[in-house]
Amino acid sequence: MGPSKIKARKTQPLFNEWNPFPLIELLKSYLRYDPAAQSIWEVFLCYPGPKAILIHRLSHFLYQRKIAVLPRLLCELGRFFTGIEIHPGAQMGRNVIIDHGMGVVIGETAEVGDGVILYQGVTLGGTSTSKGKRHPTLENGVVVGAGAKILGNIIIGQASRIGANSVVIESVPAGSTVVGIPGKPVSRPVASGQELEHSLID
């Protein structure tokens, strides 16, 4: 793929205060994207993603206030009940869908934009032992397929999609479709309504 021309950048925190956000808005997002979802109540009671996000909102609020231990305990509680591990320091946007969820890991300095969809087994991991920004940034509308690994302080551009089991180690521009190990962009762009159609990737 060659050296990336996109440089990771610092962004303002998505949420600075305790704000569980309009829960109904998130639950309706699940109904739009998951044909198996029958009702808002079903999503709220039976889906792990909304529970993991709500627990993270509280742990992130406490983490920003430098409260010791408790944010990590909440993170562990969320992982126990949902199988999803979101570090309290991670910044999560609105209406982030974590589908199925088991095995999803989101690191401390990761930034996840609005309307992102993450499937089971996704890792947003770090590649450095430094305490600075070392996890990826996913811009709005990114879709990450099951088992994909996105590693390091890189940027995944808006409305991109990452194929299942891909390993992405370099930034990619907006609207990209990335597959493989290491991940490489392919020719077909993402059309509206085709965000989940992995069979259309070529």
Side-chain angles (χ1 to χ4, degrees):
M1 184 160 54
S4 173
K5 295 182 180 180
I6 302 176
K7 293 184 178 179
R9 60 187 182 278
K10 297 181 68 175
T11 60
Q12 295 298 317
L14 297 171
F15 287 86
N16 285 320
E17 301 296 332
W18 162 240
N19 179 4
F21 65 86
L23 179 59
I24 297 299
E25 182 183 348
L26 174 63
L27 300 179
K28 286 181 176 178
S29 295
Y30 276 83
L31 288 175
R32 285 195 300 271
Y33 278 96
D34 187 357
Q38 300 299 311
S39 69
I40 284 179
W41 278 110
E42 180 185 53
V43 173
F44 179 69
L45 294 173
C46 303
Y47 281 51
K51 299 181 186 70
I53 293 292
L54 284 174
I55 292 170
H56 173 263
R57 293 292 185 217
L58 179 55
S59 69
H60 185 65
F61 173 81
L62 298 173
Y63 178 87
Q64 288 186 315
R65 279 147 185 80
K66 303 187 184 304
I67 295 174
V69 182
L70 184 56
R72 292 304 302 268
L73 284 176
L74 286 170
C75 174
E76 291 298 304
L77 183 69
R79 183 172 65 172
F80 177 81
F81 282 109
T82 67
I84 299 166
E85 181 178 340
I86 309 175
H87 191 282
Q91 298 178 35
M92 306 292 289
R94 299 174 71 92
N95 299 330
V96 174
I97 294 176
I98 305 177
D99 198 9
H100 301 290
M102 185 61 68
V104 168
V105 177
I106 300 175
E108 179 184 18
T109 62
E111 300 176 51
V112 179
D114 298 340
V116 168
I117 302 176
L118 306 175
Y119 284 90
Q120 66 272 18
V122 166
T123 297
L124 305 184
T127 57
S128 171
T129 58
S130 71
K131 290 186 176 295
K133 181 78 165 80
R134 60 190 185 279
H135 296 90
T137 296
L138 276 56
E139 295 186 341
N140 297 345
V142 170
V143 178
V144 185
K149 317 301 178 189
I150 304 176
L151 305 175
N153 181 17
I154 62 175
I155 296 173
I156 306 301
Q158 181 170 324
S160 293
R161 59 180 178 175
I162 309 300
N165 293 315
S166 298
V167 178
V168 184
I169 56 175
E170 294 184 341
S171 296
V172 296
S176 298
T177 299
V178 179
V179 296
I181 303 174
K184 298 182 182 298
V186 294
S187 59
R188 185 182 293 274
V190 181
S192 178
Q194 295 182 345
E195 293 88 352
L196 310 183
E197 295 286 348
H198 278 58
S199 62
L200 299 179
I201 295 176
D202 64 11

